Amino acid sequence: MKHTISVLVENHSGVLSRISGLFSRRGFNIESLAVGPTNDESISRITIVADGDEHTVEQIEKQLNKLIEVIKVKTFGRDEFVARELMIVKVNAPADKRSEIMTIAEITGAKVMDITLTTMTLEICDRYDRLERFEKVIEPYGILEMARTGTVAVERGAEYFSAKK
């Protein structure tokens, strides 16, 4: 089962290395990892998506909470959060296929970032499952290059996950 874990950490060098090391020592595979600043420049948010059972996630949470630089850890329940991921994909786009690719982009909400005589570069920001579908639809045109950010997530509703709580 996939789990989305949000970790607030002190913004210091080496923190990400210690956290990813903790996962590897436990044999817990990280599917997605995104790190970025928060509204407080001294704190970063790490969003981790990983597969594992409930017991493993509980153990990881306990281990994370033992690290000095970790401020808070929260594993989101299935419908407790909103999440997005960015994908940038460069595809073959000969003149006779461009209108098809642009129609796919329009339907899926992707944006054309760059166009050359032979390629198009598209950007799409959405949920993981929708990006997977987009990739399958665009794949027959020939994916030349692709980059994904990894999932970022925040809790739904009035509750908020902050270091100040």
Side-chain angles (χ1 to χ4, degrees), residues 11-120:
N11 192 8
H12 299 289
S13 62
V15 174
L16 180 60
S17 176
R18 282 189 281 290
I19 288 175
S20 63
L22 184 140
F23 277 76
S24 67
R25 283 192 304 277
R26 295 272 177 193
F28 198 54
N29 188 44
I30 296 173
E31 186 175 302
S32 170
L33 178 71
V35 183
T38 64
N39 53 323
D40 180 341
E41 65 185 41
S42 67
I43 298 172
S44 291
R45 179 185 302 263
I46 301 174
T47 306
I48 302 163
V49 178
D51 275 325
D53 60 27
E54 295 295 328
H55 176 71
T56 306
V57 172
E58 284 177 25
Q59 292 305 308
I60 291 294
E61 275 190 40
K62 287 177 184 174
Q63 294 300 315
L64 284 170
N65 278 312
K66 288 181 183 178
L67 296 175
I68 294 169
E69 301 90 354
V70 171
I71 299 165
K72 277 190 175 177
V73 179
K74 171 117 182 170
T75 300
F76 294 125
R78 184 177 177 94
D79 295 320
E80 291 180 344
F81 64 99
V82 290
R84 293 294 181 267
E85 183 175 341
L86 172 68
M87 174 193 285
I88 299 173
V89 61
K90 185 185 297 181
V91 296
N92 281 319
D96 64 327
K97 297 293 181 184
R98 284 198 191 129
S99 64
E100 289 177 33
I101 295 169
M102 290 183 79
T103 299
I104 291 168
E106 187 178 323
I107 291 168
T108 60
K111 297 176 188 166
V112 177
M113 295 176 64
D114 186 49
I115 189 165
T116 69
L117 292 174
T118 59
T119 67
M120 287 178 79

